[in-house]
Amino acid sequence: MLNKHAGIIATGSYVPEKRLTNEYFEQIVDTNNEWIVSRTGIEERRVAAENEATSDIATKAALRALEKSGRTAEEIDLIIVATVTPDMAFPSTACIVQKNIGAVNAAAFDVEAACSGFIYGITIAESFVSKGAYKNVLVIGAETLSKIVDYTDRNTCILFGDGAGAAIISEVEEGYGILSSYIGANGSAGELLTQPAGGSRLPASEQTVRDRLHYIQMNGSEVFKFAIKIMGEAAEKALSMCGMKKEDIDFLVPHQANTRIIDSAVKRLKISPDKVYVNLNKYGNMSSASIAVALDEANEKNLLKDGDVVVLVGFGGGLTWGASVLRWKNSGGKQHV
Ligand code: ACO
């Protein structure tokens, strides 16, 4: 049987209402707006309410994507939620979203690949749809990182924000959709970015709480060096997998961690900055939600034209990385067909 062609037919996103500005951080840690903006590009980020969990914002993003897709919740065959901040260890956040949206016919599971999670998710979805196993797969990148950020650590607390982005992957016409996807990992450098406690290695205890081991710990400069190298490499690898070169890129949606990391990828890929979507000034690093939210915003602003070669590229804890090459097609200005 011939493979089908899988593509993103609709996108959606949601960010919590509450904003934390750089001025807020000036009051709680030894930092300042000038340092944060010049070293990261971040001006503010969104944070979930106390009673708002990852599944809540994931559900809102999913419902927006579903509405634009013209599909019903019952038509969704599989839900994949990429997250490092699940509501709880189990049930999976994907199962909670399945219940919330009434996708009664969907299988559901979570994927954990940190900031590369959304690309891991659409890579899995593409495989199911192109093989004909499933018709409609809902992929969500959703995080409430504010729940695991140490607000006494100036090295990390200024970087992260909360949000959710969703995409529906279905069959599309030949020549469009996901042309290639490349994902990779290097577990031997995993200690550069961790949330040490709360799992089977260090179960939650009074000691782990006292030692602040339930918060994100990061070696920022080493992650930075890795990111600079891998962003360009991963994008070029995914392009080569579908017979393309960096000159073919029409639009780049990079992981939103740091403008200096994005700038270095832009330089290596020799792409004009006006073809690169950047929103990290508004949201900070939302891990697996970053690319998903950026893609939805670019789509909503009609920045993606029919036939555009759109590259998604990201890196994250694990360490992990990934890139996808899409041939975009709009329908009604907002979605593929
Ligand atoms: N305000 C003021 N000074 C600060 C702050 C702050 N908020 N944070 C760190 N500093 C200080 C450091 O203490 C250090 O001071 P020292 O020289 O006296 O020790 C100095 O600034 C420089 O620190 P560096 O770490 O070298 O700064 P760098 O230029 O590397 O920027 C940053 C730090 C922004 C964290 C950068 O390394 C970075 O973006 N790294 C990548 C992080 C990332 O992308 N993570 C993504 C994965 S997240 C995931 O997967 C969940």
Side-chain angles (χ1 to χ4, degrees), residues 123-320:
T123 305
I124 299 166
E126 192 272 337
S127 172
F128 276 116
V129 172
S130 66
K131 296 286 181 301
Y134 290 133
K135 282 196 162 56
N136 301 302
V137 180
L138 168 61
V139 179
I140 306 167
E143 303 287 2
T144 49
L145 292 163
S146 62
K147 314 269 183 176
I148 60 164
V149 160
D150 183 350
Y151 284 100
T152 66
D153 176 11
R154 70 173 183 174
N155 292 294
T156 54
C157 71
I158 53 119
L159 298 173
F160 298 103
D162 301 342
I168 294 182
I169 286 95
S170 305
E171 192 180 350
V172 296
E173 71 184 85
E174 193 178 347
Y176 290 94
I178 301 161
L179 305 181
S180 67
S181 259
Y182 162 60
I183 52 175
N186 174 15
S188 62
E191 79 285 353
L192 295 178
L193 187 50
T194 65
Q195 182 196 13
S200 61
R201 180 69 60 194
L202 284 176
S205 67
E206 285 181 20
Q207 190 65 42
T208 60
V209 172
R210 254 197 311 277
D211 293 343
R212 310 186 76 76
L213 296 176
H214 295 269
Y215 293 122
I216 296 175
Q217 295 185 355
M218 181 176 74
N219 180 333
S221 54
E222 287 304 313
V223 174
F224 188 87
K225 283 184 219 156
F226 153 72
I228 297 271
K229 187 170 166 293
I230 205 69
M231 291 278 273
E233 267 180 34
E236 286 182 13
K237 171 85 178 174
L239 285 162
S240 74
M241 285 166 67
C242 58
M244 290 193 183
K245 299 187 293 300
K246 58 190 176 193
E247 292 74 21
D248 296 315
I249 305 174
D250 294 305
F251 202 82
L252 185 72
V253 183
H255 175 48
Q256 310 280 319
N258 186 315
T259 37
R260 291 184 292 143
I261 294 172
I262 295 175
D263 290 346
S264 78
V266 166
K267 212 167 146 197
R268 172 166 172 166
L269 296 171
K270 295 194 167 74
I271 183 170
S272 157
D274 62 310
K275 292 179 169 181
V276 182
Y277 198 77
V278 178
N279 62 4
L280 71 86
N281 56 314
K282 296 190 291 179
Y283 304 134
N285 179 348
M286 299 183 290
S287 193
S288 62
S290 280
I291 293 173
V293 172
L295 182 66
D296 181 53
E297 286 193 354
N299 192 18
E300 279 294 303
K301 291 178 180 171
N302 293 325
L303 298 176
L304 311 173
K305 308 292 174 217
D306 278 354
D308 273 0
V309 173
V310 180
V311 173
L312 316 179
V313 61
F315 65 92
L319 300 172
T320 57

Side-chain angles (χ1 to χ4, degrees), residues 8-15 60-69 164-167 251 253 277 279 282-283 291-305 310 328-336:
I8 295 175
I9 64 152
T11 60
S13 65
Y14 175 81
V15 291
K60 288 180 175 159
L63 288 173
R64 288 178 179 178
L66 206 53
E67 194 188 339
K68 286 191 246 169
S69 74
F251 202 82
V253 183
Y277 198 77
N279 62 4
K282 296 190 291 179
Y283 304 134
I291 293 173
V293 172
L295 182 66
D296 181 53
E297 286 193 354
N299 192 18
E300 279 294 303
K301 291 178 180 171
N302 293 325
L303 298 176
L304 311 173
K305 308 292 174 217
V310 180
W328 199 259
K329 181 151 188 192
N330 289 293
S331 165
K334 297 277 186 291
Q335 64 202 41
H336 300 241

